[in-house]
Amino acid sequence: MFISSENAPPSLKDFTLVMPAVAVGNVAQLAVDLLVSTLNMKLVGYIHTDCLIPMAGNNPYSTCREDAEELHTPAEVYTAPELKLAVLQIRAPIIQKKSKKFRQLIVSWIKTSGFSRTVILSSSHAYQRDDQQMKGTPLRYLVTPSLLKVSADALKELGWREMEQLPAFPGLTEANAESRLSIPGGGITKGLYTDSCAEDLPLAVILLFCSEGDNIPDAFTLVNHLNDWLHLLDNPSQEPNKWKIPPSWSLLFGSGIPPAMF
Amino acid sequence: MATFFGEVLSVYSRAVEEDDEELEENEEDEQIRRELEEKREVHLHWIPEVSDSLKSGNKLPCSEFVLAVGHNAARFLSVYVLTSANWDKVGHASVWNERSRAVAGQTSKESACVFYRHKENPTVLMCQVTSHIAEDQLFQWTEKVFDCLQHRELNVTVLSDSSVADYKTADYLCTSATPFLRSLHTGTFSGKPVCQSLEQPNIVTGLSAAVLNHCQVHRIATVVYQCYSDILGPDSVTMETYKPALTKLGKSIQLASSPNTDVLRKFIQTTEIQSNLYI
């Protein structure tokens, strides 16, 4: 359930919501971190639920000593009202048995908040691509019919590649072979997309094929791709370091090395 | 995944396979799953006096709630605080999960999650947790326990054990630096923690995180003291690290100046027996 951090609940009506799916390499979560820290977004509330594994930490986006001591929870909502942008950051894995419940919670929250559109950032296992998917860009998109109605032109102009439907039974070459949508390693991405299609929600999925490892470059790729559509930052590609890396990204590969080793 | 130095780490994917849950389940599977879920429920058992008052809608009046999670934190309370005989046991929580040992008919005395109340000042409560609470039970435990407490003017102090291996720092930690305390507090906590705040990118998980999440969204003043130690079992040096955290509560909780050695011996010996590395 959404709990406001201020006394008055924030107005999120007609905002664009960007949220990550907890997926391969945590690429989407890293990309959302870049959005929050670069656009200086403000915390407006929490999604308090039993579907996420509890965790807590100090301010992941602190810029100075004064704001470092500030408690942050597994799922938080940030806004940039001047951009009409809201972001839901998820910092913990979903408890496996509760992923369906979590999807329902998110879908009903999206409905009650009145977001004009929702963008799910996600990733999928690179090693499970089929032949056609291995050619060209690793980025894909998906839109629900209700968003396609309003954004068809914009998407056409961007020239993005839609996520391919894969044959349900590879190898069978019948003319009417069944095909299905498959996003391996994408967590709740596919479920959220199909739920939104059924509920007629305007929602898009932007995903990237990748593998586990140092996923920081992937996060930049994904956030730049999102920016091509939403224009949150002007020309970030000209100035490659315009996205601000938050301090919480430090020590991604563990602590310092003992000096006695050398 | 290979690191900078070339060693290969096995990484598990945090992504949940999207296909598992869509599988059709037959009735028997469903029943087994339902029964397992029921078994994993957290149950609170209070003494008759408390449960009667809870039933009639009166929550437990509470001004100070001290929660000790882990062997060192819990035993610290046993050795320094509970020895004063000023404490009544008021209840316990029963939690079953994959790490629970199969003990048939476990009595409340053996329970690994016990609540105590101060005899002279009944608004001071303490809880010792030494059992493992699974990830899916943490939220439920916190909701159920805090649902029994009055939230007005409630102050929560959590003492929690952690391994120094989980602590990330750019400098190399020499062994003489451990054990040490780090704190984390909710927005409504107005006091000054007795130690340094937990630095990014460190996080807390487990029961202390669940309590922090709950208290942050419900605006309850809470501070967590996380002790990073390099010793696995209960030991007196690690326990002593918690002392400043409770001395601060001064008036409500009397801290013995030195540990009760009889109680301490009991806890330390039980772990020594298990270590048969060099017989």
Side-chain angles (χ1 to χ4, degrees):
Chain A
M1 106 186 111
F2 176 78
I3 296 179
S4 170
S5 60
E6 310 286 321
N7 290 325
S11 166
L12 301 170
K13 197 160 171 26
D14 296 327
F15 275 44
T16 297
L17 171 71
V18 176
M19 65 167 279
V22 183
V24 189
N26 304 80
V27 178
Q29 292 155 289
L30 292 171
V32 167
D33 261 351
L34 288 174
L35 287 179
V36 177
S37 76
T38 310
L39 303 172
N40 255 325
M41 297 181 80
K42 196 172 157 280
L43 176 76
V44 293
Y46 312 94
I47 300 280
H48 189 55
T49 165
D50 62 342
C51 304
L52 296 171
I53 296 173
M55 60 75 67
N58 272 318
N59 191 357
Y61 312 113
S62 73
T63 47
C64 54
R65 272 187 136 199
E66 284 72 44
D67 67 357
E69 274 184 50
E70 201 179 88
L71 190 75
H72 287 259
T73 66
E76 295 180 318
V77 182
Y78 294 81
T79 59
E82 65 288 356
L83 293 164
K84 285 210 155 252
L85 180 73
V87 151
L88 165 64
Q89 176 62 303
I90 302 172
R91 304 196 174 93
I94 300 162
I95 289 171
Q96 196 162 2
K97 288 175 290 183
K98 291 185 174 155
S99 81
K100 197 171 179 185
K101 189 181 165 196
F102 186 68
R103 261 164 36 205
Q104 287 164 346
L105 174 107
I106 294 295
V107 167
S108 77
W109 175 64
I110 290 173
K111 274 198 208 159
T112 51
S113 306
F115 292 115
S116 64
R117 59 187 168 179
T118 303
V119 183
I120 311 279
L121 299 179
S122 182
S123 48
S124 181
H125 283 305
Y127 70 85
Q128 288 201 12
R129 285 173 297 177
D130 77 350
D131 288 355
Q132 48 166 346
Q133 288 176 326
M134 287 170 77
K135 287 180 226 147
T137 168
L139 291 148
R140 294 290 184 278
Y141 82 93
L142 277 171
V143 279
T144 61
S146 119
L147 185 64
L148 190 64
K149 265 186 262 165
V150 286
S151 301
D153 293 342
L155 287 166
K156 208 172 167 191
E157 208 175 289
L158 285 165
W160 284 1
R161 249 174 99 174
E162 197 172 348
M163 181 71 179
E164 295 85 354
Q165 298 267 330
L166 298 182
F169 310 106
L172 285 186
T173 48
E174 276 171 48
N176 56 350
E178 241 180 273
S179 66
R180 63 189 175 98
L181 179 66
S182 166
I183 308 176
I188 59 167
T189 313
K190 186 186 161 189
L192 264 181
Y193 174 72
T194 45
D195 287 357
S196 308
C197 286
E199 304 256 354
D200 206 30
L201 282 181
L203 176 135
V205 174
I206 301 180
L207 67 85
L208 174 86
F209 292 116
C210 68
S211 306
E212 301 266 2
D214 181 356
N215 298 96
I216 291 175
D218 298 325
F220 280 103
T221 310
L222 192 63
V223 81
N224 278 327
H225 194 63
L226 174 77
N227 193 57
D228 287 344
W229 180 24
L230 300 184
H231 305 292
L232 303 166
L233 269 191
D234 303 325
N235 298 323
S237 46
Q238 286 175 1
E239 255 183 85
N241 291 328
K242 225 170 178 183
W243 297 109
K244 208 165 87 194
I245 292 185
S248 50
W249 285 19
S250 58
L251 309 176
L252 218 52
F253 293 95
S255 290
I257 298 150
M261 241 173 87
F262 304 103
Chain B
M1 183 178 90
T3 67
F4 183 72
F5 290 104
E7 70 264 53
V8 175
L9 304 174
S10 64
V11 269
Y12 69 98
S13 175
R14 285 142 302 230
V16 180
E17 283 305 317
E18 89 271 25
D19 287 334
D20 340 346
E21 62 171 302
E22 313 295 334
L23 289 174
E24 288 279 315
E25 266 190 341
N26 66 33
E27 223 170 88
E28 200 184 338
D29 285 346
E30 220 170 274
Q31 197 192 338
I32 292 169
R33 189 204 278 263
R34 213 172 29 240
E35 275 172 20
L36 260 176
E37 254 163 54
E38 270 167 35
K39 218 176 160 188
R40 292 179 79 91
E41 282 259 329
V42 175
H43 294 283
L44 297 181
H45 311 270
W46 300 102
I47 54 167
E49 177 216 327
V50 175
S51 64
D52 285 349
S53 101
L54 283 173
K55 261 182 216 149
S56 57
N58 299 322
K59 293 186 178 183
L60 271 171
C62 187
S63 61
E64 214 64 71
F65 180 51
V66 178
L67 174 67
V69 190
H71 283 280
N72 276 311
R75 297 308 160 222
F76 162 73
L77 291 187
S78 304
V79 170
Y80 281 94
V81 186
L82 290 168
T83 47
S84 70
N86 262 335
W87 297 86
D88 280 328
K89 207 168 102 185
V90 285
H92 71 272
S94 59
V95 176
W96 180 88
N97 56 43
E98 57 283 352
R99 282 213 224 159
S100 307
R101 263 174 290 170
V103 184
Q106 194 181 42
T107 61
S108 60
K109 211 180 164 193
E110 293 157 307
S111 171
C113 176
V114 191
F115 295 89
Y116 296 91
R117 186 168 65 181
H118 201 276
K119 273 181 184 160
E120 285 143 34
N121 184 0
T123 66
V124 178
L125 291 175
M126 275 200 315
C127 176
Q128 289 180 309
V129 184
T130 49
S131 60
H132 168 73
I133 301 178
E135 283 168 340
D136 57 325
Q137 295 171 321
L138 295 167
F139 190 90
Q140 204 192 109
W141 189 98
T142 316
E143 290 275 297
K144 284 195 172 168
V145 169
F146 279 86
D147 210 32
C148 297
L149 307 179
Q150 248 176 36
H151 283 189
R152 263 188 46 210
E153 311 206 347
L154 172 62
N155 286 298
V156 183
T157 307
V158 183
L159 311 176
S160 168
D161 287 358
S162 201
S163 164
V164 75
D166 296 330
Y167 184 78
K168 285 184 185 174
T169 172
D171 317 311
Y172 174 67
L173 275 179
C174 56
T175 41
S176 62
T178 54
F180 57 91
L181 276 187
R182 286 290 181 271
S183 72
L184 204 57
H185 60 84
T186 60
T188 43
F189 176 80
S190 54
K192 200 177 173 333
V194 295
C195 65
Q196 213 181 323
S197 188
L198 185 71
E199 308 91 337
Q200 270 289 344
N202 291 294
I203 54 165
V204 300
T205 53
L207 196 58
S208 36
V211 170
L212 273 174
N213 288 172
H214 180 94
C215 293
Q216 175 77 351
V217 301
H218 291 101
R219 299 177 192 186
I220 299 168
T222 302
V223 60
V224 167
Y225 292 106
Q226 185 96 349
C227 175
Y228 289 94
S229 170
D230 53 357
I231 299 170
L232 281 175
D235 83 298
S236 50
V237 181
T238 308
M239 282 180 216
E240 221 176 297
T241 328
Y242 289 114
K243 262 176 108 174
L246 282 203
T247 357
K248 209 168 170 269
L249 297 176
K251 281 170 282 167
S252 5
I253 293 172
Q254 294 293 318
L255 207 63
S257 53
S258 59
N260 184 315
T261 41
D262 291 340
V263 184
L264 190 62
R265 193 171 295 125
K266 198 173 83 193
F267 293 124
I268 303 231
Q269 267 175 354
T270 45
T271 49
E272 269 175 356
I273 295 162
Q274 285 163 14
S275 168
N276 58 0
L277 193 56
Y278 305 104
I279 291 176

